[in-house]
Amino acid sequence: MRQPSTGYRAAIDPVLLAASLAPRAGAVLLDLGCGVGAASLCLLARRPDVAVIGVEIDPLLAELARQNAALNGFSDRFTVIDGAAEVLTAQALPPIAALFSNPPFHDPAATPSPEARRARATHGALLSDWTALAARLLPHRGTFSLIYRADGLAEVLAALTGETRSGPRFGGIRVAPLWPRAGSPAKRLLIQASLGSRAPLVLQSGLVLHGAGSAYTPQTEAILRGEAAWEMPPTAPVSDITP
C-alpha cells in the first residue's frame, strides 16, 4: 500500500474498521474520507463479492488510493471520487448498501499538526454533517460504521440520533470498545448504526488489542493479518423481536 512518506500514515484503525463490516454479497459500500484506501483494501481482500466507492478530498491521497487499488487487483471493485463529501450528492451513484468511515476524530480543541495533510486527516470533520450525508445516501436499514475516540461517544450518539423532519436518523446502534490492554480504559470505539431502525443501543463485547509487552493478542493478530474478521452484524429491528 502506497502512502505519503510524511504526515498521517494509516495504522490499525482502518484495518479493524474493515474487519467489523458484514455486508451482504453483491453490496456496494461507500468509504467516506477513504485516504489511500486502507480500510477499503482490507475489506475488498476479505470480501471478493462486494465493491467500494471511496471519496477523498485530498487529490494526492485519492490518486494513491487508485494506485493501491490497481496494485492489489481491485480497480474493478474500488472507485475513488475526488472532492469533499458533499460532491456525492451530485454524483450518479449506484445504490449504496452501507457507509463506513475512519473520520478525522481528534478533539477539535487540541492543537492540530503543523503538517497540513496530517492536520486535515485528524481534525476538522463535522460529524453531524457526515451523518446527515449518510442519512441521505443510505436506504432504510442501511448501515453507517465508524471508528472513533472513546471520549467522543456522546458526540457520535448525538450526531446519529439527531432529529430530522422525518424523525430520528439512526437507531440499532452497536458500540464495541477497543481496549489497549486488559484493565485499561478503551481509547477507540467501533460504532455501527442502522438508518431508521428502532432497535435499542447495544454495548457489544470489546477487543483487547495487546497482551504481554507490546505483542498483540492472538485475536487481534489474526484480524490484522487478515486471518479473521470481527463483524458487527446489524441487530434485529424492534418490529422483528417484539411479539
Side-chain angles (χ1 to χ4, degrees):
M1 187 181 73
R2 292 176 176 170
Q3 51 186 332
S5 58
T6 61
Y8 175 78
R9 296 176 63 81
I12 67 171
D13 286 358
V15 185
L16 297 173
L17 174 63
S20 75
L21 303 174
R24 57 173 174 76
V28 177
L29 297 88
L30 182 66
D31 184 352
L32 189 57
C34 68
V36 299
S40 291
L41 295 171
C42 289
L43 175 63
L44 292 169
R46 178 170 63 88
R47 291 290 305 271
D49 56 347
V50 302
V52 177
I53 297 172
V55 60
E56 174 53 48
I57 193 172
D58 187 315
L60 172 61
L61 300 186
E63 175 56 28
L64 287 173
R66 294 188 190 94
Q67 293 179 22
N68 289 331
L71 287 169
N72 288 277
F74 298 149
S75 293
D76 59 334
R77 295 192 291 129
F78 187 24
T79 302
V80 181
I81 298 173
D82 291 74
E86 290 74 18
V87 304
L88 293 170
T89 58
Q91 296 281 332
L93 299 174
I96 303 297
L99 190 151
F100 61 97
S101 181
N102 178 22
F105 55 55
H106 283 196
D107 188 337
T111 302
S113 168
E115 203 277 327
R117 182 164 284 116
R118 184 179 182 88
R120 184 161 51 194
T122 57
H123 288 72
L126 292 177
L127 190 59
S128 58
D129 291 345
W130 284 26
T131 53
L133 176 67
R136 292 197 299 271
L137 295 175
L138 288 172
H140 184 62
R141 297 282 190 249
T143 59
F144 181 28
S145 304
L146 68 157
I147 190 165
Y148 212 76
R149 67 181 200 278
D151 63 357
L153 177 59
E155 175 188 352
V156 175
L157 295 180
L160 289 172
T161 61
E163 292 289 330
T164 66
R165 292 179 181 177
S166 58
R169 289 195 182 113
F170 290 90
I173 299 171
R174 296 161 295 287
V175 180
L178 303 173
W179 296 290
R181 56 190 71 250
S184 298
K187 292 186 177 181
R188 296 283 189 271
L189 301 172
L190 279 166
I191 303 167
Q192 188 179 99
S194 298
L195 184 64
S197 173
R198 295 185 293 115
L201 183 148
V202 174
L203 183 61
Q204 297 199 168
S205 299
L207 179 67
V208 178
L209 301 179
H210 294 278
S214 60
Y216 289 114
T217 61
Q219 183 181 12
T220 303
E221 184 77 17
I223 292 170
L224 296 179
R225 290 185 177 277
E227 299 166 356
W230 194 45
E231 295 180 344
M232 296 173 64
T235 54
V238 170
S239 59
D240 293 344
I241 62 177
T242 302

